[in-house]
Amino acid sequence: MRPIIHYRPEANWINDPNGLCQVDGWYHLFYQYNPQGSVWGDMHWGHARSRDMYRWETLPIALIPDAARGEEHCFSGSCCKDETGRPHFFYTSIGAKEAGRDCMDGAQQWHAEPVDSGLTRLIQTEAGALTDAIHGGAHVRDWRDPCVIRYGDGYLMVLGGCLEGRGCILLYTSPDMQTWTYRHVLLQSDKADGVPWECPNLFLLDGMVVAFWSPCATVEYAVGTLDEQLRFHMARKGVLDPGEWQGYYAPQTFRDEQGRTILMGWMPECDGDAAAIRRGWSGVMSLPRLLSIKDDDLHAELLPGWETMADTPVTLALSAGRVSAQAGQHFILRMRCRIAETPLVIRFLTSPSSGEVTELRVSPDGEACLVRDQSTTSAEPCTAPIRRTVMLVEENDVFLCVDGTAVECMVNGRWLSGRVYPQAADAAKMEISSEAADVRLYPIRKA
Ligand code: FRU
């Protein structure tokens, strides 16, 4: 039941994608990594590279806490290329509480540089450490996860945190990525619940400015514009993917060498620490999604190139609106269908022996819901339904990737992800009920 096409290193704990970039044709994925085991701790940056963002090769650890400078964890961060194309890395440095460097009150933002064009190691530089003093008296708690982009003839940085009890994204500017000035709060929660906003992203896309953030809950986004004072004017707001702790968190975007804006998130496990320790690993990365603006809103498709991970598709013909197949535990389904009078229902990972089942249901009122019922077989089942609204049209574009325990669905450019833990060996049956559909089933290649 291990995912095949969702990246993870051989062993141990991973979370957030970090420092995503493309250099000399190679895509680089760094990520939060605990070299000691399969629960969170001792944060380093793991490293993998790929030619297509689907087939990854795990490389040695790239960023190691600098103990000599009191660093205990290298938290999340990003990559930004300067005007010569040279990549720079920014991340959050955490040290000991006794040294006033804990993650809640003493985080700093550090800069690291690659030792070579293969980015095999990232080394902390002495320059550019930002401290809370940059806020001129205001104290930002849980200040972390820098995202840096080029903007005009300078650079913008956003950081997440919590200011006066409200989760927020803070904005900074720099002419050269070395000296930074704090500008203002770009976006802020309307709830004073003390919950920080993590992993903010800010980027330009098809003439709009897009921000998203991970508020220790469902990942949200906003589309709008920046005025001359760099104030954000929101045109739309929405849910990027409702998976959160059940399947999708802390995503990051970057622009590749072809100018494509690509999104990748972390798919956390939700079957508990004991299961992670037994397995020896925890967490996978989502599939890469290609972002664009459609009808003034954020739209995400699967990044082209995924077909090379699958075998020749089988076309499934529905009879009286139904079809069933032995789809297995690793497959991709693409369909175009009407969802006007009756819901689209895809039941999969179904076990005839135990009765466990997972279901994607899209109702004519535009609610998409992933229902996971492993209650007959799993000691720690993840059964909370994962829901979101989607925009329906005459002929809907539906994508479903079932890769063992990692499930990702898309309906007309809106996504919903979840982790699922079927236990029975025969949890491999699929049944579709749909008004009218053109269905193709692609088995995922084992090797
Ligand atoms: C999000 C997060 C980040 C932090 C990192 C630590 O999952 O909490 O805010 O930098 O994980 O591993």
Side-chain angles (χ1 to χ4, degrees):
M1 274 308 288
R2 296 175 168 211
I4 297 173
I5 60 172
H6 285 78
Y7 174 75
R8 66 174 172 85
E10 200 40 46
N12 297 334
W13 166 277
I14 63 167
N15 56 291
D16 321 358
N18 294 153
L20 286 170
C21 59
Q22 190 182 22
V23 176
D24 298 338
W26 286 103
Y27 289 99
H28 291 269
L29 160 66
F30 302 90
Y31 45 85
Q32 291 285 282
Y33 178 66
N34 179 2
Q36 316 279 359
S38 50
V39 294
W40 187 91
D42 194 17
M43 284 294 112
H44 290 54
W45 279 25
H47 185 198
R49 69 172 186 177
S50 167
R51 284 289 186 192
D52 59 4
M53 295 221 46
Y54 285 103
R55 248 172 271 269
W56 293 97
E57 173 192 351
T58 302
L59 299 172
I61 291 175
L63 182 63
I64 300 171
D66 186 347
R69 288 170 68 191
E71 188 172 54
E72 295 190 341
H73 300 281
C74 300
F75 271 21
S76 287
S78 65
C79 173
C80 180
K81 291 183 183 173
D82 64 21
E83 57 282 11
T84 68
R86 194 178 151 73
H88 294 257
F89 293 83
F90 295 88
Y91 73 97
T92 300
S93 172
I94 303 296
K97 191 169 175 61
E98 309 74 65
R101 297 261 285 105
D102 68 310
C103 69
M104 209 128 88
D105 295 311
Q108 297 184 359
Q109 317 309 328
W110 285 21
H111 172 249
E113 288 207 338
V115 293
D116 57 21
S117 62
L119 316 183
T120 52
R121 273 295 306 275
L122 308 178
I123 303 294
Q124 291 84 342
T125 64
E126 293 291 330
L130 304 186
T131 68
D132 194 29
I134 198 173
H135 302 115
H139 173 46
V140 180
R141 293 191 85 176
D142 291 295
W143 184 46
R144 55 178 174 260
D145 309 334
C147 160
V148 179
I149 56 165
R150 263 182 82 71
Y151 188 75
D153 42 12
Y155 299 88
L156 300 181
M157 179 190 283
V158 285
L159 277 153
C162 190
L163 185 61
E164 289 156 7
R166 292 174 199 275
C168 60
I169 301 180
L170 305 120
L171 180 75
Y172 310 78
T173 50
S174 170
D176 52 10
M177 284 200 268
Q178 290 187 16
T179 47
W180 291 93
T181 307
Y182 169 57
R183 300 298 291 263
H184 47 252
V185 173
L186 194 71
L187 278 156
Q188 192 163 22
S189 169
D190 30 292
K191 286 191 275 270
D193 54 8
V195 177
W197 283 9
E198 304 181 306
C199 301
N201 276 239
L202 183 77
F203 53 101
L204 309 180
L205 184 67
D206 301 338
M208 304 294 286
V209 176
V210 182
F212 59 75
W213 58 95
S214 294
C216 298
T218 297
V219 183
E220 297 179 309
Y221 73 87
V223 176
T225 51
L226 278 182
D227 66 20
E228 297 213 329
Q229 281 69 49
L230 301 176
R231 297 275 173 194
F232 185 75
H233 299 274
M234 194 187 298
R236 299 229 181 204
K237 190 174 170 215
V239 166
L240 195 63
D241 185 313
E244 52 170 274
W245 308 118
Q246 308 283 308
Y248 195 85
Y249 195 69
Q252 183 174 88
T253 50
F254 73 107
R255 186 174 291 188
D256 77 357
E257 289 176 341
Q258 297 172 48
R260 305 183 299 180
T261 299
I262 301 173
L263 175 76
M264 186 177 244
W266 163 47
M267 300 184 75
E269 308 295 330
C270 50
D271 61 345
D273 283 356
I277 291 165
R278 258 196 319 276
R279 242 188 339 255
W281 58 273
S282 178
V284 299
M285 290 299 160
S286 74
L287 297 178
R289 302 175 189 172
L290 177 64
L291 297 183
S292 61
I293 297 289
K294 265 197 187 159
D295 303 323
D296 294 331
D297 207 349
L298 193 61
H299 182 94
E301 309 251 342
L302 193 63
L303 186 74
W306 61 271
E307 294 88 345
T308 62
M309 307 299 290
D311 286 329
T312 317
V314 183
T315 301
L316 301 180
L318 278 82
S319 143
R322 280 173 192 281
V323 67
S324 61
Q326 202 57 31
Q329 297 182 332
H330 301 270
F331 63 88
I332 286 171
L333 200 69
R334 284 237 75 149
M335 58 196 287
R336 300 195 68 82
C337 60
R338 268 168 55 82
I339 309 171
E341 269 103 55
T342 57
L344 161 69
V345 182
I346 308 171
R347 310 185 98 208
F348 52 97
L349 298 174
T350 299
S351 159
S353 65
S354 73
E356 64 181 282
V357 61
T358 306
E359 180 179 289
L360 173 68
R361 173 179 289 262
V362 186
S363 313
D365 65 1
E367 187 190 67
C369 184
L370 184 68
V371 182
R372 302 161 297 160
D373 183 7
Q374 278 73 45
S375 52
T376 54
T377 53
S378 175
E380 200 157 352
C382 308
T383 48
I386 301 171
R387 303 172 197 279
R388 70 163 304 148
T389 50
V390 295
M391 290 280 293
L392 294 181
V393 291
E394 184 67 26
E395 258 234 315
N396 299 285
D397 184 16
V398 178
F399 165 91
L400 170 67
C401 175
V402 177
D403 185 18
T405 56
V407 175
E408 294 185 66
C409 324
M410 184 218 64
V411 181
N412 300 328
R414 306 282 193 275
W415 289 74
L416 182 160
S417 307
R419 303 304 303 273
V420 63
Y421 301 92
Q423 307 287 314
D426 65 349
K429 205 176 157 218
M430 179 184 68
E431 285 172 282
I432 302 174
S433 147
S434 165
E435 275 173 41
D438 158 21
V439 186
R440 266 160 303 148
L441 175 68
Y442 298 77
I444 288 173
R445 281 217 181 112
K446 293 280 183 285

